Amino acid sequence: MSTERTPEVLEHLKLSKPKDVAGGRNAVINSLKHIKRETGMAKGVGVLTNLNQKGGYDCPSCAWPDPDDHRAVTEFCENGAKAIASETTAKRIKPNFFQEHSIDDLGKQTDHWHELQGRLTEPMHLADGAKHYQPIGWDEAFALIAEKLNALPAPDDAIFYTSGRASNEAAFLYQLFARQFGTNNLPDCSNMCHESSGVALNQTIGIGKGTVKLEDFDHAKVVLVIGQNPGTNHPRMLSALQQCVRNGGKIVAVNPLKEAGLLGFSHPQEVTGMLGARTPLASHYLQVKPGGDHALLKAFAKGLFEKKGLDQSFIDANTAQFDAYQQSLEAENWEQLSHASGIAKPAIDEIVDLLAATDKIITCWAMGLTQHRRAVATIQEVVNVHLLRGAIGKTSAGLCPVRGHSNVQGDRTMGIFEKMPDHFLDKLRDVFEFEPPRKHGFDTVEAIKAMHEKPGKVFIGLGGNFASATPDTTYTAEALRNCELTVHVSTKLNRSHLVTGKQALILPCLGRSEIDASAGKEQFLTVENSMGVVHSSHGKFQPASQHLKSEPAIIAGIAQATLDGRSRLPWHTWGADYSALRDQIEQVIPGFDDYNERAAQPGGFYLPNHARTGDFSSIGGSVPFSINTVQSIELGEDQFVLMTIRSHDQFNTTVYGMDDRYRGIHGERRIILMNEADMKRCGVSHEQPVDLTSHFNGETRTAPLFLALKYDIPEGSVAAYFPEANLLVPINDTAEHSNTPVSKGVVVSVAPYQAQQ
């Protein structure tokens, strides 16, 4: 799966001093650079000013919410500008592109090169044994999918994957089709990122979503930002953190790397910010060991007990298992907690004092917490700390898992989940008059294993770049190649189109910024952001090609062709008229009453959230304290804990450019960040080419030719970019209970580069 590289390629690397502030003039310059390169400035102004506006289109990048009331004319961040520039690019991939480039040739190109080729324009088919894609008509494509699906020995031999980009309407239609076809095999990108959050929160507060609103940040007194890099991954969050600090709040950053977006922020929409004025953000920065967050949170809780910083009245009224939890903390040893976390006790005491002084506490986290073996236990410890302070179910306080892709939370609400509860399936049965399957389906890791172990499956991907985003990419590639047919609904070329089954289809779809006209009118779609707001998204620009179809229309076409004669559901009607589809969603999913009317309102509507309001009656009236033991990652001699990270010039697997501006790394992505003392101990010099080898249960996986860079990172830890380092993540090394790949806790060794013979 890795692109072939030579040492000469690595000479493009240039280094500069890491930044200590995010945003500012450079964020604006880089936003406009991407718009100019992809879209052109004439169209680009309209592209940007419609982004995240009421009546405009939702950003296809992250799921950070928009303000409920007033919105700036420029309600976007640098990465949002890159994402929408990518979608609205003037570049086109036409059929002659695939005549000129075989899949083998394309496979040798980088992910960045793939991104720069432009929008897909026509459905394409790769025949059995062929090396070039050829054009195919939509009806022919649907018929081929139907033929292969209906020829499967059992419905569970089909796998229906979803990325977090899909709209609510597309996601609901997709899961409905899969279940009427007869399977719950609905793995999604959440399985690889925030599944641990959903499991932990459902087991404690009874809902797998966050409990805060955007306005809660304004008057929070302490905001813990743990395992998250908002400056790169959720830049619009920085303005909320800035406002919190301006109002007297404290930001506590917990992260192995010092990230610019947690140190300071120059607001690019303020004159002073453009001139370089900065707001310092984190008052305290704890460079925890990867995986040490659980021990650190335990230490916070233990400190609150010892300093008598508990809200006992809240605990008595709203929690369970308090005495057992207290006993478990008393058994914890301070020295062991400090060693496991990598944080000295005096630094821990400072944070405990902050927490003990207020109940206006918000904790935010992302994949730095969710992609560890003990991820669920760690997030449950976040909940424990909030319960001790009564910091949940009230304004300016609560839990804030920060989702990655723009509608990953909405997809789950719509039923994209391999283990949906019976009450949801009962509703499908009653409303649509068929019996949905009850057997749990495959999550992402299980789907990869199933494709690997048994040939002949059909894989359909609704968005995403499955081959690159998944763990153990060599193993995943073998699994995909074992399929009878692989199908990808996409806007742009990516590596998954080149790692195929016996046959493959690329089905090009509309982007969010494009006008979706059907059923005699312009349609709009809806999405749900990280804070449970459902709102509309209206395309404004002509489609990249007359041959594109919307995601709902593509799903409806597949469903109609596959279930013809076995389904009485009006697939084509729903694929063309989303208001009719929303009427059906309203009957199935709680909180969507008057869906069409409320979605049409500027700003949309909040979904019910009992934990946000502090009403725990639906889960028995109390939230249980969770009792989990701390477990450290065992390392051998000259071994390290690898965490995969993103650069500033990427979003998920999409690589917009080759510069990680905030970390001072330019022109190269095959790098590994190491502590200087570790480099000396294992005999590695700065900028030396090295090979990385991961170790798990006696298995090894090697990623060749990375450049070792000296960086401020805790001893015993290393970091490398995703997806280049994904082949090191073992398929069987997953988080307890959530089965999320352990991408932030991979045991690796580093050795001098050995040229391939």
Side-chain angles (χ1 to χ4, degrees), residues 542-556:
Q542 290 301 315
S545 165
Q546 63 179 341
H547 302 294
L548 302 184
K549 287 183 178 288
S550 71
E551 289 175 325
I554 293 170
I555 297 162

Side-chain angles (χ1 to χ4, degrees), residues 2 5 13 48 127 131 242 256 285 287 309 365 448 479 566 609 632 732 741:
S2 60
R5 307 294 293 274
L13 175 72
L48 291 175
K131 293 295 184 180
Q242 180 189 56
Y285 208 118
Q287 285 186 265
W365 69 90
I448 295 168
R566 290 181 285 155
N609 188 319
S632 298
N732 290 311

Side-chain angles (χ1 to χ4, degrees), residues 148-158 181-183 185 454 457:
K148 297 301 182 183
L149 285 174
N150 289 327
L152 292 172
D156 284 338
D157 286 326
F181 179 71
T183 185
N185 286 347
K454 180 184 174 184
K457 287 184 167 51

Side-chain angles (χ1 to χ4, degrees), residues 420-460:
M420 286 301 286
D422 281 340
H423 63 77
F424 179 90
L425 300 177
D426 290 343
K427 274 289 189 179
L428 291 185
R429 177 197 62 203
D430 297 342
V431 172
F432 300 110
E433 299 181 345
F434 77 96
E435 184 58 51
R438 303 289 169 151
K439 173 187 169 186
H440 288 172
F442 298 138
D443 64 21
T444 297
V445 168
E446 292 165 344
I448 295 168
K449 290 180 179 179
M451 290 186 289
H452 199 277
E453 292 166 5
K454 180 184 174 184
K457 287 184 167 51
V458 172
F459 174 92
I460 302 178

Side-chain angles (χ1 to χ4, degrees), residues 459-471:
F459 174 92
I460 302 178
L462 180 61
N465 182 359
F466 191 84
S468 288
T470 45

Side-chain angles (χ1 to χ4, degrees), residues 320-391:
Q321 299 179 186
F322 173 74
D323 291 340
Y325 179 62
Q326 180 177 8
Q327 291 173 13
S328 73
L329 282 181
E330 289 172 350
E332 295 287 354
N333 178 285
W334 271 112
E335 184 177 352
Q336 291 174 343
L337 291 176
S338 181
H339 175 74
S341 64
I343 306 299
K345 189 173 184 299
I348 294 171
D349 287 340
E350 290 183 18
I351 309 307
V352 172
D353 289 340
L354 290 177
L355 297 174
T358 184
D359 63 354
K360 293 186 176 182
I361 302 165
I362 295 173
T363 299
C364 308
W365 69 90
M367 289 185 286
L369 286 198
T370 65
Q371 292 181 324
H372 287 283
R373 202 169 301 158
R374 300 284 286 169
V376 171
T378 302
I379 296 162
Q380 288 175 337
E381 204 63 47
V382 172
V383 177
N384 287 342
V385 171
H386 277 257
L387 296 179
L388 293 177
R389 292 299 305 132

